[in-house]
Amino acid sequence: MSFLETVRFDDPLLNLAMVLVCGIVGGEICGLLRLPKVTGWIGTGILLRAMSLPGLDGEALQRFTPFMNFVLGYIAFTVGAALYFANLRNAGKRLSLLLLGEAIVTPIVVGLLLIYVGGMEMRPAILLAAIAIAGAPGTTVLVVQEARARGILTSTLIAAVALIDMVAVGMFVFVSSFLHVDNNFFEALGYVGFQVGTSFVIGASCASLALVLNRTIAGPAFLGPLMVAVILGSWGAAVGFGVSGILACSFAGITVTNLRHETVRSAEAYLHNIGGVLFALFFTLAGMRLDFSQVPAAFSLVVLYFFARLSGKYLSAFTALGVAGVPSRVRNYFGLALLPHGGVAVGLILLVQSEPHLQGVQEIVTTVGLAALAINQLLGPSAARIALTRVGEDHKDRPRLLDFLQEQRIVVDLKGNSREEVIKSLANHLYATTKLPVPQKQFVEMVMEREAEVTTCMGEGLMIPHTILKEGEEVKGVLGISTEGLDLKAPDNRPVHAVLLLATPESERSRHLEVLAAFATAITRDVNLREQLYHARSAAHAYNILHADDTAELNYFLEDVMERTRD
């Protein structure tokens, strides 16, 4: 026996190294061609499978299942961490309608087209319909960052893709269970309830334990490793209880971000350092699971699935946002921004392969699902970027005067019979969305003391109560709007329609004065702006009015002011 005959090439670590290097090369080649790197990773995986290298055949890929599960857990955790409830105030209606549309419209459109146009059997069609709901939070966030986007579409999109993935998992669990329990609707629904409830308990428990350890025993330097332990523990415990690891890790992320929101950035920064390695390996291995020899025969189904998903996404988003009263330019392009398809979809496809009761449909679901996903990865990021550009939200992340007035800090239908009632109401909203260095009761007393000295009613329906805080780093505030007008005994005897409550640290006095001057000047001089703002239908509508490009006098870029000052 020769030396070469004794050499083995099937060691898992060696195989992972081969996959990683090949994936990196493929991704960089796609990057040079101005294509998403993930497309190169998937394409490299397809090529590696076709080459039938030692240790990288179909059966050998099962050895990497724990790694694939960890990356799926990492993706799910970051999805959940994006759901900080304080930032979702005022967005509840449109997010609820979006989720309802994604849970009903998208799978119905996809399923019906696959069955009646593509001639596909019902079992694989409804599985692919459930998988079609999933989005791509990681890809979407990357596109938003590259576009430097900010606005209603951007904020809604970031929150929506995270929630939509959870809906996709829930719908997939329901469909998979429905097919497993002899098409019994109520048993499948009960199984979904068990899955969601148990996953929540597992994820929340793991996250809470990690936060307690971080406060008591482990120092800040171990926050990142603790979050890795949360992902591993949530997924492992979920497997032990027979529930979804994706849901458990999602709930863990939600728990962390809402209990100690400041820890999320530190944890994500730690995980981001290894994110490139994880994703390059994950998507290359996912590509290796695609039997490309089956794609030509299923090409028409792949194309149909892609356009069916796009149609379902667009129709559900357009309808939901129309009912929610979202501005038309956001409504018209939101469905296009939902096109990216990512990691959770891959995970659901892999789950199809691992379920014994789904034998017979695994090949067609894997082939059509992964091939269509590759197309989405090629076109999806560009589609999302086009949507952000057309809506006018790209390159809007430069610091502006009114950056603190995000949608969640705007209140419509403001009520109150006195200045104190109005200020207390707005202070409740301010403290619900913002952390301040003084107790709320003390803050209200300080504002009222300032109000007692000289009224902050500026005339023309505007009031700007405020106070200066000794601590803090930036101006904080909320805006309340009353279409009917409030009788607050203004000096000009006019009803007050807009109340801007400000909390300014000592170090930001100059910006505080800029906000006061800009708001007072714009409202008193610009009749059109005043009327639009006073009759804003929703917080989103008011946000668009305040942050529109044609309100430059009110919401200019601070860096431009500093540049002019230097000149």
Side-chain angles (χ1 to χ4, degrees), residues 78-336:
T78 56
V79 166
L83 297 178
Y84 183 45
F85 296 140
N87 287 345
L88 300 181
R89 297 176 72 94
N90 296 326
K93 180 179 180 181
R94 64 175 177 272
L95 286 175
S96 299
L97 289 171
L98 269 172
L99 296 182
L100 186 63
E102 283 296 299
I104 298 175
V105 178
T106 297
I108 287 178
V109 170
V110 173
L112 290 178
L113 287 176
L114 287 177
I115 293 172
Y116 291 104
V117 178
M120 183 179 288
E121 294 181 1
M122 188 189 74
R123 295 178 74 219
I126 61 176
L127 284 168
L128 285 168
I131 294 170
I133 298 172
T139 301
T140 302
V141 170
L142 181 61
V143 170
V144 167
Q145 291 174 346
E146 290 178 346
R148 299 175 59 191
R150 179 182 294 175
I152 296 300
L153 187 148
T154 301
S155 60
T156 305
L157 181 63
I158 295 298
V161 292
L163 291 167
I164 285 170
D165 269 7
M166 298 187 71
V167 171
V169 173
M171 184 62 71
F172 178 85
V173 169
F174 172 79
V175 170
S176 178
S177 303
F178 182 72
L179 297 176
H180 185 51
V181 294
D182 298 325
N183 300 340
N184 189 304
F185 176 85
F186 292 104
E187 284 189 35
L189 193 61
Y191 188 65
V192 171
F194 168 75
Q195 285 272 339
V196 173
T198 307
S199 298
F200 171 76
V201 172
I202 291 172
S205 299
C206 290
S208 299
L209 176 60
L211 292 178
V212 170
L213 290 175
N214 182 243
R215 280 182 175 269
T216 56
I217 300 176
F222 284 91
L223 177 60
L226 277 174
M227 293 303 104
V228 172
V230 167
I231 295 169
L232 294 172
S234 297
W235 190 285
V239 171
F241 281 91
V243 297
S244 170
I246 294 176
L247 281 178
C249 291
S250 296
F251 284 124
I254 292 173
T255 302
V256 170
T257 194
N258 285 281
L259 290 183
R260 287 185 61 192
H261 184 60
E262 67 278 5
T263 66
V264 170
R265 289 183 180 178
S266 300
E268 289 182 344
Y270 175 84
L271 294 170
H272 180 74
N273 293 330
I274 59 174
V277 174
L278 296 179
F279 289 138
L281 270 173
F282 178 82
F283 284 105
T284 305
L285 288 170
M288 293 176 67
R289 291 176 178 264
L290 173 59
D291 186 357
F292 198 72
S293 64
Q294 301 295 322
V295 172
F299 181 75
S300 59
L301 283 175
V302 172
V303 174
L304 176 63
Y305 183 52
F306 171 79
F307 283 106
R309 180 176 180 271
L310 174 59
S311 300
K313 290 283 183 182
Y314 188 88
L315 181 60
S316 66
F318 185 86
T319 303
L321 296 183
V323 174
V326 173
S328 58
R329 63 177 183 175
V330 174
R331 184 172 70 248
N332 292 340
Y333 288 99
F334 199 91
L336 191 63

